Amino acid sequence: MPYNVDLSMIKLNKKYYFEYKGKIVNRIVYKGRTFFDKYERVDKSLTLQVMNEHIERKKIIAHDLINRQRNIVENIVFDYNGHDPERFWHRASLLLREEGFLNFTAYHSKTRGHLHLYIHKGHTTLTEAIQLGKTLSMKLATKLPKQWRMFPTDELPPEFNILNLPYGLYKKERGASWARHM
């Protein structure tokens, strides 16, 4: 089965990727806590062949959210791990529109009912993206029980600011459909 998920808005760095190994690859001490990394960085291009192996579930492939050379991010991501994706999408999209975000896309993750909601922010410094993510998360938490994590985050080591490639499109918002009503 070919990988045919539209990732054009995510703006992936395809120079390298991360592969899940199922065992501890690296031990990282960060802010007084110990983390065990099960993803190994592969310094090869993220090709369509690798993406096909991911969609066929032969491998689990992740991409980096942070542009390491410039210390910027293109997306802020809600990693939703609840049981009501339709309600989450509805509340989150209302909040994002209210906050002035025009472009965002939700993708299915490996587990049924879980979503990755990418807010396409563009060139944003890492510090600003983390702060904005915390603010959006707090605002959404007033409307829904908190069943998500935000990325990028400073609560985890920088090596953990990665997400598995999406398995399929859930819904997307490009702003034009509702912007005329503003």
Side-chain angles (χ1 to χ4, degrees):
M1 171 177 17
Y3 192 83
N4 60 0
V5 181
D6 181 15
L7 301 175
S8 60
M9 291 297 290
I10 295 179
K11 296 180 184 169
L12 295 176
N13 179 356
K14 293 186 177 182
K15 294 178 182 168
Y16 62 92
Y17 60 92
F18 295 87
E19 183 178 345
Y20 179 77
K21 294 297 185 180
K23 61 181 184 194
I24 297 170
V25 175
N26 197 5
R27 184 174 161 264
I28 301 165
V29 177
Y30 182 77
K31 292 188 176 181
R33 295 172 55 199
T34 302
F35 295 88
F36 298 98
D37 193 358
K38 293 184 178 183
Y39 284 83
E40 182 176 68
R41 180 178 164 147
V42 178
D43 288 317
K44 294 181 182 174
S45 293
L46 178 58
T47 62
L48 190 56
Q49 180 183 356
V50 174
M51 292 174 163
N52 287 340
E53 289 176 349
H54 173 76
I55 202 77
E56 292 167 359
R57 298 179 190 251
K58 294 178 181 173
K59 294 181 178 180
I60 299 174
I61 304 298
H63 69 94
D64 202 345
L65 288 173
I66 302 169
N67 180 325
R68 305 284 174 187
Q69 291 87 18
R70 299 173 55 200
N71 206 33
I72 61 169
V73 296
E74 296 288 340
N75 304 286
I76 299 166
V77 183
F78 282 91
D79 177 18
Y80 176 71
N81 296 313
H83 301 291
D84 194 353
E86 188 61 38
R87 184 170 179 224
F88 171 76
W89 168 261
H90 178 71
R91 291 289 187 172
S93 61
L94 287 174
L95 170 72
L96 294 173
R97 288 182 201 135
E98 195 176 280
E99 294 294 319
F101 293 99
L102 301 176
N103 298 315
F104 45 93
T105 309
Y107 295 97
H108 293 283
S109 63
K110 186 177 179 182
T111 307
R112 192 169 178 266
H114 293 194
L115 301 175
H116 290 162
L117 174 56
Y118 286 78
I119 305 162
H120 312 298
K121 179 76 171 71
H123 304 300
T124 307
T125 65
L126 180 58
T127 309
E128 181 186 354
I130 290 168
Q131 188 58 44
L132 189 55
K134 287 179 181 178
T135 303
L136 291 172
S137 180
M138 284 190 323
K139 287 182 178 183
L140 189 59
T142 64
K143 311 247 188 243
L144 288 172
K146 189 168 187 288
Q147 299 174 323
W148 60 83
R149 293 188 304 171
M150 296 301 298
F151 288 94
T153 180
D154 58 358
E155 297 169 5
L156 297 173
E159 296 87 355
F160 279 61
N161 280 290
I162 62 173
L163 284 175
N164 289 347
L165 291 176
Y167 285 90
L169 178 68
Y170 180 73
K171 291 185 181 177
K172 64 182 176 180
E173 178 71 57
R174 293 296 174 261
S177 61
W178 61 269
R180 64 179 170 263
H181 302 292
M182 296 296 279

